[in-house]
Amino acid sequence: MAVRAQFEGSNDIGVFAKLTNTYCLAALGGSENFYSVFESEVGEVIPVVHCSIAESRIIGRMCAGNRHGLLLPNATTDNELQHIRNSLPDEVKVVRVEERLSALGNVIACNDYVALVHPDVDRATEEIIMDTLQVEVFRQTIANQVLVGSYCALSNKGGLIHPSTSTRDQDELSSLLQIPLVAGTVNRGSDVIGAGMVVNDWAAFCGMDTTSTELAVVEQIFGFQEQQQSFLPAEFL
């Protein structure tokens, strides 16, 4: 299911939230409406945690994670780390990372099996990503952009990537990730997909400006249309 949402008038959902198959992080200080959208769609299945990271609300850009773990920048305070650890399921490893490129959400894009990372990420950070998130790691660019986390959104079923990605690059990335990919936009033509939406295997949240055409592409590539069909009685299938 793909849903539109807004954080205090901003359509950059991926800046103020982080969504995986085992938890959802939402920035402190948003309107109640922002949280209730997440609570109603995923709150029955996974915890929706209100938090800040490094004393900032742009949590979606500051962290990277999947169902196995969560990576936080070194500037994360002890209180924030403890709060997040206490709120997440026990099987999720939460690790603070010493990395020069500290906006981890911008430099890491991952699902539960594979991570694409900025070509200049530290070798030690690469090891931590492999160990904590239990993924294969590939140093990549998307449409010649090094901020791979900003220019794509991935789940275990599919991925939406920068609209200028060539067909050849799409095929290469698709074979690395082992999922179908489509080049597209959110928020009425924005190519900063990682900032404009969050997604897991059964839900996606896009900015309020996202058009119905963009939403339809999101629902198709992430496999939500098949899910909706499966909810219908047998005689309609």
Side-chain angles (χ1 to χ4, degrees), residues 121-146:
V121 156
D122 207 59
R123 188 66 63 187
T125 304
E126 188 180 333
E127 296 286 332
I128 293 167
I129 294 167
M130 290 166 69
D131 183 49
T132 308
L133 304 186
Q134 297 176 32
V135 290
E136 281 187 274
V137 176
F138 299 101
R139 291 171 185 263
Q140 278 291 330
T141 59
I142 294 176
N144 297 321
Q145 303 281 352
V146 290

mmCIF file of all heavy atoms in Angstrom, residues 121-146:
data_model
loop_
_atom_site.group_PDB
_atom_site.id
_atom_site.type_symbol
_atom_site.label_atom_id
_atom_site.label_comp_id
_atom_site.label_asym_id
_atom_site.label_seq_id
_atom_site.Cartn_x
_atom_site.Cartn_y
_atom_site.Cartn_z
ATOM 1 N N VAL A 121 33.285 5.523 1.025
ATOM 2 C CA VAL A 121 33.023 5.086 2.403
ATOM 3 C C VAL A 121 34.245 4.326 2.932
ATOM 4 O O VAL A 121 34.908 3.578 2.208
ATOM 5 C CB VAL A 121 31.753 4.187 2.451
ATOM 6 C CG1 VAL A 121 31.755 3.263 3.645
ATOM 7 C CG2 VAL A 121 30.504 5.048 2.475
ATOM 8 N N ASP A 122 34.556 4.554 4.203
ATOM 9 C CA ASP A 122 35.712 3.943 4.856
ATOM 10 C C ASP A 122 35.645 2.418 4.790
ATOM 11 O O ASP A 122 34.566 1.839 4.864
ATOM 12 C CB ASP A 122 35.704 4.401 6.325
ATOM 13 C CG ASP A 122 37.084 4.417 6.912
ATOM 14 O OD1 ASP A 122 37.934 5.131 6.384
ATOM 15 O OD2 ASP A 122 37.292 3.700 7.904
ATOM 16 N N ARG A 123 36.812 1.777 4.686
ATOM 17 C CA ARG A 123 36.849 0.305 4.623
ATOM 18 C C ARG A 123 36.292 -0.306 5.912
ATOM 19 O O ARG A 123 35.573 -1.309 5.879
ATOM 20 C CB ARG A 123 38.306 -0.143 4.410
ATOM 21 C CG ARG A 123 38.489 -1.613 4.132
ATOM 22 C CD ARG A 123 37.893 -2.073 2.826
ATOM 23 N NE ARG A 123 38.501 -1.465 1.648
ATOM 24 C CZ ARG A 123 38.039 -1.629 0.419
ATOM 25 N NH1 ARG A 123 36.943 -2.341 0.215
ATOM 26 N NH2 ARG A 123 38.630 -1.069 -0.600
ATOM 27 N N ALA A 124 36.603 0.310 7.052
ATOM 28 C CA ALA A 124 36.100 -0.205 8.339
ATOM 29 C C ALA A 124 34.575 -0.104 8.391
ATOM 30 O O ALA A 124 33.898 -0.998 8.911
ATOM 31 C CB ALA A 124 36.716 0.582 9.495
ATOM 32 N N THR A 125 34.023 0.993 7.832
ATOM 33 C CA THR A 125 32.566 1.161 7.793
ATOM 34 C C THR A 125 31.923 0.079 6.939
ATOM 35 O O THR A 125 30.870 -0.471 7.279
ATOM 36 C CB THR A 125 32.199 2.556 7.230
ATOM 37 O OG1 THR A 125 32.849 3.551 8.010
ATOM 38 C CG2 THR A 125 30.695 2.782 7.254
ATOM 39 N N GLU A 126 32.582 -0.252 5.830
ATOM 40 C CA GLU A 126 32.072 -1.316 4.949
ATOM 41 C C GLU A 126 31.949 -2.634 5.712
ATOM 42 O O GLU A 126 30.960 -3.351 5.599
ATOM 43 C CB GLU A 126 33.015 -1.471 3.752
ATOM 44 C CG GLU A 126 32.482 -2.404 2.683
ATOM 45 C CD GLU A 126 33.441 -2.545 1.513
ATOM 46 O OE1 GLU A 126 34.236 -1.615 1.251
ATOM 47 O OE2 GLU A 126 33.397 -3.594 0.852
ATOM 48 N N GLU A 127 32.966 -2.926 6.531
ATOM 49 C CA GLU A 127 32.936 -4.153 7.349
ATOM 50 C C GLU A 127 31.766 -4.120 8.339
ATOM 51 O O GLU A 127 31.068 -5.115 8.534
ATOM 52 C CB GLU A 127 34.254 -4.301 8.130
ATOM 53 C CG GLU A 127 35.485 -4.488 7.282
ATOM 54 C CD GLU A 127 35.566 -5.880 6.679
ATOM 55 O OE1 GLU A 127 35.021 -6.823 7.280
ATOM 56 O OE2 GLU A 127 36.149 -6.007 5.583
ATOM 57 N N ILE A 128 31.558 -2.953 8.962
ATOM 58 C CA ILE A 128 30.468 -2.816 9.941
ATOM 59 C C ILE A 128 29.116 -2.991 9.256
ATOM 60 O O ILE A 128 28.205 -3.626 9.801
ATOM 61 C CB ILE A 128 30.554 -1.447 10.662
ATOM 62 C CG1 ILE A 128 31.803 -1.389 11.536
ATOM 63 C CG2 ILE A 128 29.308 -1.190 11.515
ATOM 64 C CD1 ILE A 128 32.157 0.006 12.040
ATOM 65 N N ILE A 129 28.984 -2.429 8.048
ATOM 66 C CA ILE A 129 27.735 -2.572 7.293
ATOM 67 C C ILE A 129 27.467 -4.056 7.029
ATOM 68 O O ILE A 129 26.351 -4.557 7.251
ATOM 69 C CB ILE A 129 27.802 -1.792 5.953
ATOM 70 C CG1 ILE A 129 27.891 -0.289 6.207
ATOM 71 C CG2 ILE A 129 26.581 -2.109 5.082
ATOM 72 C CD1 ILE A 129 28.265 0.535 4.970
ATOM 73 N N MET A 130 28.499 -4.782 6.574
ATOM 74 C CA MET A 130 28.337 -6.213 6.283
ATOM 75 C C MET A 130 27.947 -6.988 7.535
ATOM 76 O O MET A 130 27.047 -7.833 7.505
ATOM 77 C CB MET A 130 29.642 -6.780 5.710
ATOM 78 C CG MET A 130 29.957 -6.279 4.314
ATOM 79 S SD MET A 130 31.661 -6.610 3.813
ATOM 80 C CE MET A 130 31.642 -8.375 3.645
ATOM 81 N N ASP A 131 28.613 -6.662 8.636
ATOM 82 C CA ASP A 131 28.407 -7.406 9.882
ATOM 83 C C ASP A 131 27.062 -7.086 10.531
ATOM 84 O O ASP A 131 26.318 -7.978 10.954
ATOM 85 C CB ASP A 131 29.556 -7.063 10.854
ATOM 86 C CG ASP A 131 29.444 -7.846 12.147
ATOM 87 O OD1 ASP A 131 29.270 -9.069 12.068
ATOM 88 O OD2 ASP A 131 29.520 -7.222 13.230
ATOM 89 N N THR A 132 26.712 -5.797 10.612
ATOM 90 C CA THR A 132 25.508 -5.369 11.335
ATOM 91 C C THR A 132 24.239 -5.611 10.526
ATOM 92 O O THR A 132 23.237 -6.096 11.049
ATOM 93 C CB THR A 132 25.599 -3.869 11.698
ATOM 94 O OG1 THR A 132 26.832 -3.635 12.371
ATOM 95 C CG2 THR A 132 24.444 -3.451 12.584
ATOM 96 N N LEU A 133 24.279 -5.264 9.244
ATOM 97 C CA LEU A 133 23.073 -5.378 8.415
ATOM 98 C C LEU A 133 22.971 -6.737 7.718
ATOM 99 O O LEU A 133 21.942 -7.048 7.104
ATOM 100 C CB LEU A 133 23.046 -4.259 7.366
ATOM 101 C CG LEU A 133 23.136 -2.821 7.890
ATOM 102 C CD1 LEU A 133 22.957 -1.817 6.751
ATOM 103 C CD2 LEU A 133 22.099 -2.564 8.988
ATOM 104 N N GLN A 134 24.061 -7.538 7.809
ATOM 105 C CA GLN A 134 24.094 -8.878 7.195
ATOM 106 C C GLN A 134 23.775 -8.816 5.690
ATOM 107 O O GLN A 134 22.863 -9.487 5.193
ATOM 108 C CB GLN A 134 23.128 -9.821 7.924
ATOM 109 C CG GLN A 134 23.513 -10.048 9.374
ATOM 110 C CD GLN A 134 22.513 -10.892 10.139
ATOM 111 O OE1 GLN A 134 21.879 -11.771 9.559
ATOM 112 N NE2 GLN A 134 22.361 -10.628 11.420
ATOM 113 N N VAL A 135 24.532 -7.958 5.009
ATOM 114 C CA VAL A 135 24.306 -7.747 3.579
ATOM 115 C C VAL A 135 25.623 -7.858 2.806
ATOM 116 O O VAL A 135 26.696 -7.766 3.386
ATOM 117 C CB VAL A 135 23.712 -6.337 3.302
ATOM 118 C CG1 VAL A 135 22.289 -6.229 3.793
ATOM 119 C CG2 VAL A 135 24.586 -5.234 3.906
ATOM 120 N N GLU A 136 25.501 -8.079 1.492
ATOM 121 C CA GLU A 136 26.630 -7.902 0.584
ATOM 122 C C GLU A 136 26.745 -6.413 0.291
ATOM 123 O O GLU A 136 25.727 -5.732 0.145
ATOM 124 C CB GLU A 136 26.375 -8.638 -0.727
ATOM 125 C CG GLU A 136 26.610 -10.125 -0.688
ATOM 126 C CD GLU A 136 26.488 -10.685 -2.100
ATOM 127 O OE1 GLU A 136 25.354 -10.988 -2.486
ATOM 128 O OE2 GLU A 136 27.509 -10.800 -2.797
ATOM 129 N N VAL A 137 27.975 -5.913 0.185
ATOM 130 C CA VAL A 137 28.169 -4.470 -0.011
ATOM 131 C C VAL A 137 28.829 -4.205 -1.368
ATOM 132 O O VAL A 137 29.815 -4.854 -1.726
ATOM 133 C CB VAL A 137 29.041 -3.869 1.124
ATOM 134 C CG1 VAL A 137 29.324 -2.401 0.871
ATOM 135 C CG2 VAL A 137 28.339 -4.046 2.463
ATOM 136 N N PHE A 138 28.262 -3.258 -2.125
ATOM 137 C CA PHE A 138 28.830 -2.857 -3.413
ATOM 138 C C PHE A 138 29.021 -1.337 -3.425
ATOM 139 O O PHE A 138 28.089 -0.596 -3.115
ATOM 140 C CB PHE A 138 27.900 -3.249 -4.566
ATOM 141 C CG PHE A 138 27.665 -4.727 -4.675
ATOM 142 C CD1 PHE A 138 26.492 -5.293 -4.186
ATOM 143 C CD2 PHE A 138 28.615 -5.563 -5.257
ATOM 144 C CE1 PHE A 138 26.266 -6.660 -4.276
ATOM 145 C CE2 PHE A 138 28.401 -6.924 -5.356
ATOM 146 C CZ PHE A 138 27.226 -7.485 -4.869
ATOM 147 N N ARG A 139 30.226 -0.892 -3.782
ATOM 148 C CA ARG A 139 30.483 0.544 -3.960
ATOM 149 C C ARG A 139 29.965 0.948 -5.332
ATOM 150 O O ARG A 139 30.417 0.393 -6.345
ATOM 151 C CB ARG A 139 31.981 0.837 -3.836
ATOM 152 C CG ARG A 139 32.491 0.634 -2.413
ATOM 153 C CD ARG A 139 34.012 0.701 -2.333
ATOM 154 N NE ARG A 139 34.429 0.387 -0.967
ATOM 155 C CZ ARG A 139 34.708 1.291 -0.034
ATOM 156 N NH1 ARG A 139 34.629 2.576 -0.327
ATOM 157 N NH2 ARG A 139 35.057 0.922 1.188
ATOM 158 N N GLN A 140 29.007 1.873 -5.355
ATOM 159 C CA GLN A 140 28.302 2.180 -6.605
ATOM 160 C C GLN A 140 27.973 3.662 -6.717
ATOM 161 O O GLN A 140 28.022 4.400 -5.726
ATOM 162 C CB GLN A 140 26.973 1.402 -6.648
ATOM 163 C CG GLN A 140 27.093 -0.044 -7.105
ATOM 164 C CD GLN A 140 27.457 -0.171 -8.572
ATOM 165 O OE1 GLN A 140 27.122 0.672 -9.375
ATOM 166 N NE2 GLN A 140 28.171 -1.229 -8.902
ATOM 167 N N THR A 141 27.620 4.079 -7.922
ATOM 168 C CA THR A 141 26.970 5.382 -8.118
ATOM 169 C C THR A 141 25.636 5.113 -8.805
ATOM 170 O O THR A 141 25.439 4.056 -9.402
ATOM 171 C CB THR A 141 27.805 6.325 -9.013
ATOM 172 O OG1 THR A 141 27.996 5.683 -10.283
ATOM 173 C CG2 THR A 141 29.146 6.631 -8.395
ATOM 174 N N ILE A 142 24.711 6.057 -8.697
ATOM 175 C CA ILE A 142 23.426 5.957 -9.396
ATOM 176 C C ILE A 142 23.294 7.201 -10.264
ATOM 177 O O ILE A 142 23.288 8.320 -9.741
ATOM 178 C CB ILE A 142 22.258 5.849 -8.402
ATOM 179 C CG1 ILE A 142 22.342 4.518 -7.638
ATOM 180 C CG2 ILE A 142 20.912 5.975 -9.121
ATOM 181 C CD1 ILE A 142 21.308 4.340 -6.559
ATOM 182 N N ALA A 143 23.212 7.004 -11.584
ATOM 183 C CA ALA A 143 23.166 8.126 -12.543
ATOM 184 C C ALA A 143 24.324 9.097 -12.278
ATOM 185 O O ALA A 143 24.142 10.307 -12.249
ATOM 186 C CB ALA A 143 21.820 8.848 -12.466
ATOM 187 N N ASN A 144 25.508 8.526 -12.022
ATOM 188 C CA ASN A 144 26.737 9.288 -11.742
ATOM 189 C C ASN A 144 26.665 10.106 -10.452
ATOM 190 O O ASN A 144 27.464 11.009 -10.239
ATOM 191 C CB ASN A 144 27.094 10.220 -12.917
ATOM 192 C CG ASN A 144 27.401 9.442 -14.175
ATOM 193 O OD1 ASN A 144 28.027 8.394 -14.104
ATOM 194 N ND2 ASN A 144 26.930 9.930 -15.308
ATOM 195 N N GLN A 145 25.708 9.804 -9.601
ATOM 196 C CA GLN A 145 25.591 10.475 -8.304
ATOM 197 C C GLN A 145 26.170 9.553 -7.227
ATOM 198 O O GLN A 145 25.798 8.375 -7.149
ATOM 199 C CB GLN A 145 24.111 10.757 -7.967
ATOM 200 C CG GLN A 145 23.377 11.581 -9.008
ATOM 201 C CD GLN A 145 23.686 13.061 -8.885
ATOM 202 O OE1 GLN A 145 24.334 13.498 -7.942
ATOM 203 N NE2 GLN A 145 23.224 13.836 -9.852
ATOM 204 N N VAL A 146 27.061 10.103 -6.391
ATOM 205 C CA VAL A 146 27.703 9.266 -5.369
ATOM 206 C C VAL A 146 26.805 9.053 -4.148
ATOM 207 O O VAL A 146 26.979 8.085 -3.399
ATOM 208 C CB VAL A 146 29.068 9.851 -4.916
ATOM 209 C CG1 VAL A 146 30.090 9.725 -6.015
ATOM 210 C CG2 VAL A 146 28.918 11.282 -4.447
#
